[in-house]
């Protein structure tokens, strides 16, 4: 367990990945904070409204923003740091595990449906 936690922390504290996550966050969220701040500072009502409305949407439970942020970060990582094979290998392994979990879930669901027939 300790080794898994250490590997997890090393992966997520990778400076390249953190940079890509920060840029992706600015693309998906950060602009709304900047717009809200500028709107408040300069007393521009439409900026306040747009920034506030977008931030309110981010708090909805079904908001796909976090998935989009991670997807953009991974794309940026592949584009900006194609030679970072260690991080890309971990991402590939995570993707394969997710695919396998989805495959198992589908097979289990099919088996349950056939058992009910």
């Amino acid at each position: 367990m300790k080794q898994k936690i250490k590997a997890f922390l090393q992966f997520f504290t990778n400076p390249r990945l953190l940079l890509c996550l920060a840029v992706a966050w600015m693309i998906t969220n950060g602009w709304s904070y900047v717009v809200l701040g500028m709107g408040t500072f300069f007393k521009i009502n439409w900026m306040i409204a747009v920034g506030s409305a977008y931030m309110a949407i981010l708090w909805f439970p079904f908001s796909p923003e976090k998935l989009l942020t991670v997807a953009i970060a991974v794309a940026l990582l592949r584009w900006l740091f194609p030679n970072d094979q260690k991080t890309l290998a971990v991402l590939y392994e995570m993707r394969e595990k997710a695919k396998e979990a989805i495959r198992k879930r589908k097979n289990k669901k099919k088996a349950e449906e056939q058992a009910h027939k």
Side-chain angles (χ1 to χ4, degrees):
M1 183 72 167
K2 186 177 180 181
Q3 189 66 19
K4 285 187 178 186
I5 292 172
K6 183 179 178 183
F8 178 81
L9 288 175
Q10 284 178 336
F11 173 71
F12 280 105
T13 57
N14 177 340
R16 294 179 186 112
L17 182 61
L18 288 175
L19 173 68
C20 293
L21 280 170
V23 171
W25 183 84
M26 283 302 294
I27 291 170
T28 58
N29 294 354
W31 67 268
S32 63
Y33 289 92
V34 171
V35 167
L36 180 63
M38 287 176 54
T40 303
F41 184 78
F42 294 114
K43 297 186 179 15
I44 303 171
N45 291 332
W46 72 266
M47 289 179 109
I48 295 170
V50 169
S52 299
Y54 186 78
M55 282 193 272
I57 291 170
L58 293 176
W59 286 95
F60 288 155
F62 54 83
S63 173
E65 164 271 328
K66 286 160 190 58
L67 294 175
L68 185 60
T69 302
V70 171
I72 291 171
V74 170
L76 285 172
L77 183 70
R78 287 181 177 173
W79 183 56
L80 295 174
F81 305 106
N83 296 329
D84 188 4
Q85 295 302 317
K86 186 176 178 182
T87 305
L88 293 173
V90 172
L91 288 171
Y92 179 77
E93 181 182 329
M94 291 169 79
R95 184 179 76 182
E96 292 303 314
K97 285 181 182 179
K99 282 183 180 179
E100 184 61 31
I102 291 169
R103 216 175 285 124
K104 284 181 182 179
R105 188 179 233 177
K106 284 183 180 179
N107 290 340
K108 184 178 177 182
K109 189 175 181 179
K110 281 184 183 178
E112 288 174 356
E113 288 175 358
Q114 289 177 354
H116 289 313
K117 289 183 179 181

